Amino acid sequence: MNYFNSEYFTYNNNELFCENISLKDILKDSGTPVYIYSKKYFIDRFNELDSAFKEIDHTIFYAVKSNFNLSVIKIFADMGSGLDVNSEGELLRALKVGVSTDKIIFSGVGKTSSEIKLAVENDLLMIKAESEEELILINEIAFSLNMTARVGIRVNPDVDPKTHPYISTGLAENKFGIDVASAIKLYSQKDRFKNIEYTGIDMHIGSQITTVEPFVSAVEKLSKVFFMLKSEGINLKHFDLGGGIGVEYHNEKTFSAHEFAEALIPVLKKLDCKVFFEPGRYLSANAGILVAQVLYTKLNNKKNFIIVDAAMNDLIRPSIYGAYHHIQPVQINYNSKDITADVVGPVCESGDFLAKNRNIQESKRGDYLAVMSAGAYGMVMASNYNTRRRPPEILVEGFN
Ligand SMILES: *Cc1c(COP(=O)(O)O)cnc(C)c1O
């Protein structure tokens, strides 16, 4: 088998460490299953993206939905990051961490009136509207509060992000955003929306996008809209290109922050306005792992099963997206042979697996296995299915 190694999760004497802390030491206290995050990873990725775009006026809004742990949100807030929130709950988390409301933007295809009210009352930097009916409601709510809501329309640019269909959002067939022609019409109906100030234009074409081309073509499409509006006297201050930057789970060829910047800066520069980014996965996926302990192993009809104490309720990505997560032993034993096995959890569903037909070191009851790249869309999607406890989360600050 091969091992997913990084400077944040690395083997010392065949034993896996997070930063410079032994996982076994953590596991003694935490038990399993447990999520473990490297603080430095979050910081390094943020700085990397931020500095790649230093040439242009920009703000990064960490997408809270990828990992909503308050301590994680605080790491970003402390670095001056803005936050992209998707619900009342995420907005309350952002406020709890103490992020100022002019650094929060609100997304979501189906905001309720109480969510919109909360957003307007808090005078957020931008509310992203995804339908004409939503604009009408935002306007009504802002009117009733005697306020003006800052709004950006989420435009669906109809480009193919070439990712898993469940996480593609920028195609005409997807539920997200407003098509270009309707968006232009709505932007120009200023008199209809007297309690709305149009401050921006927004897109988010999907997640786990591994090439820059879909971003470039979507930004080009939206730039046209941006300039068309400008020619009609509608001057937008913010151009929000959403999140979706792909990461490496399993030898994917992704692009670096530098390559991303190189491809986009020429187009973005022309806009001469402030650019927003909303990365989630890019900042959090490889910051975290889920550690499980082997409960049983068995050979059934010539198939090996490794039954661990983590399940689909802890990490659902393999079950819903067929997502690949590298799984490797916390303690490498070079005397053990490799086998092909399904790594499965205790939940009463055949869809409860973390890996299928995986080449992995033969393990035995009591061994610890690390499920890599689990920092994004891991804990945030955890549930209490089968009345299982949700796993604890540990943030490691081991490099000083
Ligand atoms: C999910 C989401 C993001 C973050 O997506 P990633 O793929 O994790 O970068 C950003 N913006 C919006 C509107 C989203 O829905």
Side-chain angles (χ1 to χ4, degrees):
M1 69 172 295
N2 47 11
Y3 301 95
F4 196 109
N5 242 318
S6 68
E7 71 182 276
Y8 312 93
F9 293 96
T10 188
Y11 284 95
N12 280 325
N13 288 327
N14 301 330
E15 189 195 326
L16 191 57
F17 277 56
C18 176
E19 300 196 355
N20 53 18
I21 307 292
S22 150
L23 288 187
K24 282 191 197 154
D25 283 349
I26 297 174
L27 298 171
K28 263 184 240 152
D29 291 333
S30 69
T32 50
V34 58
Y35 277 98
I36 297 174
Y37 307 123
S38 154
K39 180 172 181 181
K40 184 154 192 293
Y41 185 93
F42 296 113
I43 294 173
D44 287 354
R45 283 297 81 68
F46 179 87
N47 287 332
E48 187 175 64
L49 189 63
D50 199 37
S51 62
F53 283 93
K54 63 177 180 295
E55 253 183 78
I56 56 169
D57 186 13
H58 72 276
T59 304
I60 295 173
F61 295 83
Y62 167 60
V64 170
K65 79 166 190 267
S66 73
N67 185 321
F68 59 36
N69 182 293
L70 292 176
S71 303
V72 171
I73 299 173
K74 190 164 186 314
I75 295 171
F76 290 107
D78 288 348
M79 284 189 290
S81 177
L83 298 177
D84 176 44
V85 300
N86 243 299
S87 67
E88 177 189 19
E90 288 186 1
L91 176 53
L92 294 177
R93 281 175 188 265
L95 296 174
K96 184 163 181 137
V97 166
V99 176
S100 74
T101 53
D102 62 1
K103 287 199 137 177
I104 302 173
I105 56 181
F106 200 123
S107 308
V109 70
K111 300 178 205 75
T112 64
S113 15
S114 66
E115 285 176 320
I116 292 171
K117 182 160 178 275
L118 190 67
V120 177
E121 274 170 350
N122 277 287
D123 203 18
L124 300 190
L125 179 61
M126 181 162 87
I127 300 172
K128 293 176 265 175
E130 299 212 20
S131 66
E132 179 171 359
E133 289 186 6
E134 187 185 0
L135 280 167
I136 295 169
L137 186 59
I138 295 172
N139 189 57
E140 272 172 21
I141 290 172
F143 175 78
S144 71
L145 294 168
N146 196 21
M147 291 182 72
T148 303
R150 282 181 291 269
V151 169
I153 293 182
R154 175 163 173 181
V155 178
N156 184 325
D158 193 18
V159 299
D160 186 354
K162 300 199 165 53
T163 185
H164 190 283
Y166 289 5
I167 49 176
S168 152
T169 57
L171 279 167
E173 69 197 57
N174 298 135
K175 70 178 174 182
F176 298 97
I178 299 180
D179 65 84
V180 169
S182 311
I184 293 172
K185 200 166 121 209
L186 291 165
Y187 272 117
S188 46
Q189 295 174 343
K190 276 188 139 175
D191 293 344
R192 242 182 112 191
F193 305 112
K194 290 205 167 65
N195 290 72
I196 281 179
E197 180 197 355
Y198 284 125
T199 52
I201 185 162
D202 168 62
M203 64 178 233
H204 172 71
I205 56 174
S207 197
Q208 185 54 12
I209 301 167
T210 52
T211 60
V212 294
E213 287 77 22
F215 287 102
V216 175
S217 54
V219 168
E220 281 169 347
K221 277 193 180 179
L222 243 65
S223 305
K224 287 203 187 106
V225 179
F226 180 92
F227 286 117
M228 193 180 298
L229 295 173
K230 194 167 213 150
S231 70
E232 290 175 22
I234 301 158
N235 290 303
L236 301 176
K237 292 188 280 197
H238 304 141
F239 187 99
D240 183 342
L241 54 74
I245 306 171
V247 301
E248 188 185 340
Y249 287 99
H250 184 220
N251 304 329
E252 291 90 344
K253 213 189 138 352
T254 57
F255 51 86
S256 66
H258 177 73
E259 287 162 334
F260 192 49
E262 212 169 51
L264 285 173
I265 284 178
V267 202
L268 294 173
K269 254 189 176 164
K270 289 189 205 138
L271 297 170
D272 195 23
C273 76
K274 186 153 193 153
V275 174
F276 291 176
F277 299 95
E278 306 169 350
R281 190 189 307 271
Y282 173 79
L283 298 174
S284 56
N286 281 310
I289 63 174
L290 171 67
V291 183
Q293 190 169 32
V294 176
L295 295 171
Y296 306 102
T297 61
K298 66 180 176 186
L299 184 67
N300 244 5
N301 294 317
K302 295 188 186 147
K303 200 174 161 83
N304 286 303
F305 290 93
I306 300 174
I307 301 149
V308 298
D309 61 1
M312 65 189 293
N313 74 294
D314 303 302
L315 179 67
I316 205 171
R317 298 187 67 257
S319 303
I320 58 173
Y321 309 124
Y324 181 100
H325 284 267
H326 214 80
I327 301 183
Q328 57 200 47
V330 167
Q331 178 72 54
I332 299 177
N333 180 355
Y334 285 107
N335 297 320
S336 294
K337 63 176 198 291
D338 283 359
I339 57 167
T340 301
D342 283 10
V343 181
V344 302
V347 163
C348 312
E349 302 270 349
S350 294
D352 177 29
F353 60 88
L354 297 171
K356 290 212 148 170
N357 298 317
R358 188 63 63 80
N359 187 250
I360 189 167
Q361 171 185 303
E362 190 170 44
S363 25
K364 56 179 192 313
R365 178 171 169 83
D367 287 353
Y368 291 117
L369 295 179
V371 183
M372 310 305 286
S373 315
Y377 307 108
M379 186 61 190
V380 291
M381 287 190 179
S383 77
N384 293 104
Y385 185 40
N386 276 205
T387 315
R388 286 168 51 81
R389 290 190 178 90
R390 266 181 260 204
E393 297 171 283
I394 307 245
L395 181 64
V396 173
E397 193 177 358
F399 291 138
N400 286 310

